[in-house]
Amino acid sequence: MAAADTPLLMLNAPLVASRLGYPDLSGLDLLELFAFVHPARFMVPTPKGLARALGLEEPSGDDKVPQLLQEAAEALLATCESADWAEREGAWTALQSLVRMSWPWATLLTPRIRKPDRAERWLFAKLPEWEEAAERPQPAQVVLGEAAVVSRLAELTGAGAEARPTQQDYAREASRMFAPRQGQGQPHVVLAQAGTGTGKTFGYLAPSSLWAEQSGGTVWVSTYTKALQRQLRRESRRAFPASRNGKPPVVVRKGRENYLCLLNLEDALQGGFAGRAAILAQLVARWAAYSQDGDMIGGDLPGWLGTLFRKRGIAALTDQRGECVYAGCPHYRKCFIERAARASADAELVIANHALVMVNAARGRDAAQRPTRIVFDEGHHVFEAADSTFSAALTGAETIELRRWVIGPEGKSRGRRRGLSARLADVASYDEEGERAISQAREAAEALPSEGWLARVVEGTPSGPLEELLSAARALAYARDESGGQEAGYGLETEIAQLDGGFIEVAGRAQEALEALRKPLVRLGLRLEAIVEDGPDWLDGPARARIEGARSAIGWRSDLIAGWIALLARLGGPGDPDFVDWIAVERSDGREWDVGLHRHYLDPMKPFANAVLAPSHGVMMTSATLRDGDDWQSAVERSGAPHLDIAPRLFTADSPFDYASQAEVLIVTDVPKGDIPALAAAYGRLIEASGGGALGLFTAIRRLRAVYGRIADRLARGGLPLFAQHVDPIDTGTLVDIFRDDPRASLLGTDALRDGVDVPGDSLRLVVMEQVPWPKPSILHRARRLAGGGSAYDDRIIRARLAQAFGRLIRSAGDKGHFVVLSSAFPSRLLSAFPAGTPIRRVTLDVALQSVGASVSGRESAQTPREGIS
Ligand code: SF4
């Protein structure tokens, strides 16, 4: 009632709303004000974080927070009046729009922001243009001297740092990947297991920076998590100068769906977004003018900004659906995506993720963009990334996307999305053959699913050959699935086998329809190639760039369709042992959202070896958990090297940490499996015993939510805040920032937290796993299990997961903590997952609570006393 009457001063309204169970809460949210006053500035969205960001005194307790919020509001408003406000430019103009939108802060800001004497530069005028650069020559063949590598390492770690022999060995080993290649398709492959604390980042940055400097080439470092990407960006500053010849030598490269699309933003600012979304667009425009690289997801746009506005505002401002019109776009020369792509061709170090490296290697637009020296950090994830990159999914969502790409907007749909014929109008008017191909492709695309396909498929009234296929596939999944998902509301799946004649016939018609689309696309691709070679008068720079862009898009879409055709062609015949094919109905909470046929390689490292390894000259895969215990075999198989008959170099550096005294593994044997009240009680008591600082890991979202719902309130009342992925309306990166910032906070999460969390120090002192992390018994898993040695395969996966989760606990030499698994039947053969020397005990919950509590009181008696810990 208070909130409805007067606008309340709040910090993170959606979070407050979700805690109160009052979804419509709104008011004066300080996070919005902060985003306006200091765009592109990092802040942990908590009272403490706010105080720190503004140089105010941190509140000593919850009762001091209301006072802080008022001081913070005044400090932010006062900044707008000060002469040295760094982010003043553009504020007045943005505010005028925000006043019209009745943004709650606008009336308070208006008297504080004076009208500038001269008209402010509009965002699109302010951003710098990228420049075309000359092509780079190929890198020189150099051999790195060991002494030079070690002395570069010493420069990076700093003169005062103690020389670490293991790190030096690691750096020397990493330098081997840069040796000149001796045979075509035979890169140097190094697999390096480096225990936590080895200092592997500098270990490989030392030879990488040396090689890039001496050879004039580019090294790609690929990570799986955004957290490591951020860390690398920070640490690479020591290894590379801020600028060389006026260009940044280090570039972070992500998939295009991460960056702001200026054309989408312009649409949004000019009326494309309404209500709260329009306010978001204004705040994003403020940020874009100050952003380092326009990266909206994990870059310098605060991760919390999008969640303040619910809905999918941020995603709608990126180029999610490949709508880019390249040189046809008025902002092409200022486009963040184009800038990042060009900068990476010139860079000495490109920081990217596994998926992007694989996509670039497999279908890079030009040779300069193709990585040839690659360090895969978090190398234990290369297999998973290859698995999704080199798979095919013939689903409703994928096929309707293809239809939209070919045909463009239909019916009432809005937006600037244009079809092939509009994008290539000049080609059509110049080249008859090209025009014919475009119109044939357009006609053939009519066979693809269209708006409303899912409802028709569910109701059994499909329209067109592809919808008919999806309908038949869905019916089969419902008929055959025995996973238990039907009752629980999860996804359904069934293998593609024992199909009847009717299904094969439907699949045959779908295959013909796809062939009819692929053929004109291939012809069109060839015509475009010929036109670029002919170079007619109208083909100026921008037109050429647009046609090149279209050619590459047509190229990979033809390959995509070819993959689908191959999948359908196999249906009636004998299975291909290289692939695992299945039908899936994707559902969450009982609601269907996609249906289709899937094909994965049984061993995705086979295409990885051909597309990524073979063209490379040197590749290193490194991680703290590459091997299985002491065994290298599965790591070697999972590197892809055997497919090229390469025996990789193997290197191990043990962690310098003293696990015997820093950590303890407790296997709690008396919490019955499947008993949610008992599970929740165990979590609650463990978190209380450790006074927070706990990371709780779950294998199922459902159980995570159930546990959270039972304990969050009680813990919060005791001064132990609990946050949870899939519950709190906050992105995962920000949740980890909040957790890191408050030693009394705890965090519950699923897979992404198992190895994406780097929290050294006191904030993380307890990791609790709800059970043994068994792999999900999917059809794909069953096939790989069969090929990989049955239960031994499962054990390897579980040990890897345990090792990754355990790795969160001890991040620095001073860390101490407990790793608890709630499992009444934890098999002994899995114990080798933990580092040698780590004490392991099987205990009851009561004993575990005593151990956890005792170590907390030990720590506390060494520090200052704390209140309220049971
Ligand atoms: S070039 Fe493409 S991605 Fe860049 S702003 Fe224009 S439409 Fe968006």
Side-chain angles (χ1 to χ4, degrees):
M1 280 163 64
D5 281 354
T6 0
L8 288 191
L9 194 56
M10 276 182 288
L11 188 71
N12 199 344
L15 181 67
V16 178
S18 108
R19 291 288 153 91
L20 294 179
Y22 181 69
D24 296 324
L25 195 64
S26 65
L28 291 161
D29 193 332
L30 279 158
L31 291 183
E32 291 178 28
L33 181 62
F34 186 90
F36 177 85
V37 178
H38 296 305
R41 207 184 274 191
F42 177 78
M43 192 244 294
V44 180
T46 57
K48 225 171 103 185
L50 179 67
R52 212 169 317 124
L54 298 176
L56 300 170
E57 199 181 323
E58 292 180 18
S60 55
D62 282 354
D63 55 339
K64 299 285 185 298
V65 170
Q67 177 68 28
L68 170 79
L69 298 191
Q70 294 178 49
E71 287 167 13
E74 184 44 43
L76 283 165
L77 292 171
T79 303
C80 301
E81 289 179 304
S82 100
D84 50 5
W85 179 21
E87 299 99 336
R88 175 181 294 281
E89 183 165 34
W92 186 84
T93 314
L95 182 60
Q96 305 317 301
S97 305
L98 288 163
V99 168
R100 284 194 296 279
M101 293 164 190
S102 310
W103 183 44
W105 286 106
T107 41
L108 290 162
L109 280 165
T110 300
R112 309 275 192 141
I113 300 182
R114 65 175 157 73
K115 187 174 177 188
D117 304 332
R118 275 181 290 131
E120 291 180 308
R121 277 184 303 163
W122 172 228
L123 164 69
F124 302 105
K126 191 175 173 239
L127 292 173
E129 296 198 339
W130 48 258
E131 283 162 18
E132 287 289 2
E135 261 181 48
R136 255 168 106 176
Q138 54 171 307
Q141 299 296 324
V142 295
V143 176
L144 300 178
E146 290 197 353
V149 171
V150 172
S151 94
R152 171 60 58 95
L153 178 65
E155 281 168 36
L156 300 187
T157 50
E162 193 185 317
R164 289 194 266 175
T166 323
Q167 192 185 25
Q168 292 177 351
D169 290 346
Y170 179 89
R172 275 192 284 264
E173 188 62 32
S175 72
R176 315 265 183 181
M177 66 168 271
F178 296 106
R181 192 167 76 166
Q182 298 304 336
Q184 196 184 10
Q186 294 285 294
H188 297 283
V189 178
V190 178
L191 305 185
Q193 159 119 349
T196 322
T198 310
K200 66 178 159 45
T201 317
F202 283 142
Y204 61 69
L205 284 180
S208 299
S209 59
L210 207 58
W211 180 82
E213 205 177 291
Q214 293 183 4
S215 71
T218 307
V219 179
W220 287 62
V221 177
S222 178
T223 78
Y224 189 72
T225 62
K226 294 211 164 85
L228 181 58
Q229 242 173 40
R230 268 198 262 176
Q231 182 194 330
L232 265 165
R233 193 201 272 259
R234 255 191 338 265
E235 299 198 344
S236 63
R237 286 194 200 122
R238 289 228 212 143
F240 296 86
S243 144
R244 209 188 306 266
N245 307 326
K247 291 184 180 148
V250 179
V251 171
V252 176
R253 190 71 205 277
K254 297 190 178 173
R256 51 188 307 126
E257 68 286 355
N258 287 276
Y259 295 93
L260 173 68
C261 163
L262 292 170
L263 194 54
N264 281 350
L265 177 64
E266 191 180 24
D267 275 356
L269 293 173
Q270 293 178 348
F273 277 18
R276 291 271 299 155
I279 295 172
L280 172 66
Q282 290 293 337
L283 295 178
V284 169
R286 283 278 292 144
W287 160 80
Y290 295 92
S291 169
Q292 189 182 352
D293 57 7
D295 176 1
M296 300 187 87
I297 302 174
D300 54 12
L301 182 82
W304 40 260
L305 186 64
T307 49
L308 297 181
F309 292 85
R310 298 184 196 122
K311 290 227 183 116
R312 296 178 21 90
I314 296 286
L317 293 172
T318 59
D319 179 39
Q320 293 266 333
R321 297 153 135 203
E323 290 177 301
C324 178
V325 288
Y326 296 95
C329 165
H331 310 301
Y332 183 60
R333 296 296 307 271
K334 290 164 185 285
C335 174
F336 287 117
I337 302 170
E338 294 297 320
R339 185 200 313 284
R342 276 170 182 76
S344 76
D346 260 344
E348 294 173 31
L349 181 78
V350 178
I351 302 170
N353 61 43
H354 295 353
L356 184 81
V357 167
M358 290 178 201
V359 167
N360 257 36
R363 51 174 198 235
R365 263 201 267 169
D366 54 62
Q369 302 270 347
R370 237 169 268 152
T372 55
R373 271 77 177 177
I374 317 170
V375 177
F376 287 100
D377 200 338
E378 299 179 310
H380 56 281
H381 279 301
V382 169
F383 184 91
E384 272 167 84
D387 190 26
S388 53
T389 304
F390 300 103
S391 63
L394 172 51
T395 71
E398 295 279 331
T399 44
I400 193 171
E401 203 44 55
L402 180 65
R403 177 192 180 103
R404 291 182 182 138
W405 179 78
V406 178
I407 298 182
E410 294 176 280
K412 282 184 273 156
S413 71
R414 282 157 45 99
R416 63 182 164 73
R417 176 183 274 276
R418 298 192 296 166
L420 251 193
S421 50
R423 281 199 298 265
L424 294 174
D426 45 4
V427 171
S429 60
Y430 168 80
D431 183 87
E432 224 175 273
E433 169 76 31
E435 184 191 14
R436 216 177 4 257
I438 292 171
S439 73
Q440 281 170 358
R442 200 199 171 288
E443 214 171 287
E446 299 276 353
L448 297 173
S450 58
E451 226 45 69
W453 69 269
L454 185 57
R456 286 193 295 278
V457 164
V458 171
E459 282 159 15
T461 54
S463 153
L466 267 299
E467 285 188 18
E468 276 165 23
L469 172 71
L470 298 177
S471 181
R474 180 179 178 277
L476 203 66
Y478 272 90
R480 295 185 178 177
D481 173 89
E482 292 182 64
S483 67
Q486 301 210 14
E487 298 74 36
Y490 299 151
L492 316 180
E493 55 176 29
T494 182
E495 62 199 284
I496 296 185
Q498 313 299 337
L499 304 171
D500 65 10
F503 194 101
I504 308 276
E505 238 172 72
V506 172
R509 283 199 293 276
Q511 188 185 336
E512 277 166 27
L514 291 173
E515 299 267 16
L517 175 58
R518 183 171 173 270
K519 280 189 193 138
L521 285 181
V522 171
R523 270 207 325 278
L524 179 59
L526 293 172
R527 283 315 302 154
L528 296 183
E529 201 177 321
I531 291 172
V532 170
E533 268 169 29
D534 283 358
D537 311 342
W538 56 268
L539 196 72
D540 54 5
R544 178 184 293 268
R546 185 164 39 81
I547 290 182
E548 290 282 7
R551 221 182 89 198
S552 99
I554 289 170
W556 77 258
R557 282 189 169 88
S558 317
D559 291 349
L560 178 79
I561 303 172
W564 292 345
I565 292 172
L567 167 57
L568 293 178
R570 285 254 160 219
L571 291 191
D576 184 332
D578 267 355
F579 296 100
V580 184
D581 301 335
W582 74 97
I583 290 170
V585 179
E586 313 284 352
R587 306 195 302 171
S588 41
D589 295 329
R591 215 174 52 84
E592 292 183 22
W593 49 272
D594 204 4
V595 181
L597 289 75
H598 296 260
R599 158 166 282 200
H600 280 229
Y601 273 90
L602 184 64
D603 179 6
M605 301 319 284
K606 197 170 176 179
F608 171 87
N610 292 326
V612 183
L613 286 186
S616 299
H617 290 242
V619 172
M620 174 155 101
M621 295 182 192
T622 185
S623 157
T625 55
L626 216 50
R627 291 184 320 190
D628 177 31
D630 288 334
D631 186 3
W632 272 109
Q633 195 194 337
S634 73
V636 171
E637 282 165 9
R638 286 180 162 233
S639 72
H643 291 294
L644 300 178
D645 288 329
I646 295 173
R649 293 183 63 92
L650 307 176
F651 175 83
T652 309
D654 286 331
S655 168
F657 299 152
D658 176 11
Y659 287 107
S661 69
Q662 288 182 259
E664 184 174 29
V665 174
L666 299 172
I667 296 164
V668 172
T669 50
D670 58 349
V671 176
K673 195 174 174 187
D675 182 343
I676 294 282
L679 183 66
Y683 265 95
R685 293 177 69 196
L686 282 163
I687 292 172
E688 278 169 353
S690 76
L695 177 68
L697 296 172
F698 288 79
T699 40
I701 297 175
R702 192 170 41 93
R703 283 196 297 276
L704 181 159
R705 288 191 176 135
V707 167
Y708 176 89
R710 283 180 151 82
I711 62 173
D713 220 31
R714 199 187 72 209
L715 290 173
R717 283 174 209 280
L720 298 173
L722 181 65
F723 295 89
Q725 245 191 332
H726 313 288
V727 176
D728 286 318
I730 306 180
D731 65 291
T732 306
T734 305
L735 280 176
V736 175
D737 288 339
I738 294 175
F739 174 59
R740 181 183 294 118
D741 214 40
D742 182 356
R744 291 179 67 78
S746 298
L747 178 58
L748 306 183
T750 50
D751 282 3
L753 295 184
R754 200 174 49 227
D755 57 354
V757 176
D758 183 21
V759 180
D762 203 27
S763 283
L764 203 176
R765 46 197 184 270
L766 171 68
V767 174
V768 184
M769 289 196 98
E770 57 151 343
Q771 60 174 30
V772 176
W774 298 102
K776 196 171 153 235
S778 63
I779 286 175
L780 180 61
H781 172 257
R782 190 185 64 189
R784 289 196 178 138
R785 187 177 189 273
L786 205 65
S791 64
Y793 176 79
D794 282 353
D795 289 351
R796 276 199 300 275
I797 294 181
I798 300 168
R799 279 193 293 263
R801 291 179 177 176
L802 288 168
Q804 285 150 23
F806 179 85
R808 301 309 96 211
L809 192 62
I810 308 297
R811 307 298 296 170
S812 65
D815 282 6
K816 276 185 182 303
H818 284 94
F819 185 86
V820 175
V821 189
L822 305 174
S823 165
S824 49
F826 188 96
S828 300
R829 60 181 190 278
L830 302 178
L831 295 176
S832 61
F834 304 109
T838 314
I840 302 172
R841 281 192 296 152
R842 290 179 194 265
V843 294
T844 59
L845 180 61
D846 283 337
V847 174
L849 290 167
Q850 277 164 19
S851 294
V852 171
S855 81
V856 171
S857 36
R859 198 169 14 231
E860 300 215 324
S861 55
Q863 302 167 0
T864 46
R866 250 191 215 140
E867 290 168 17
I869 295 168
S870 58

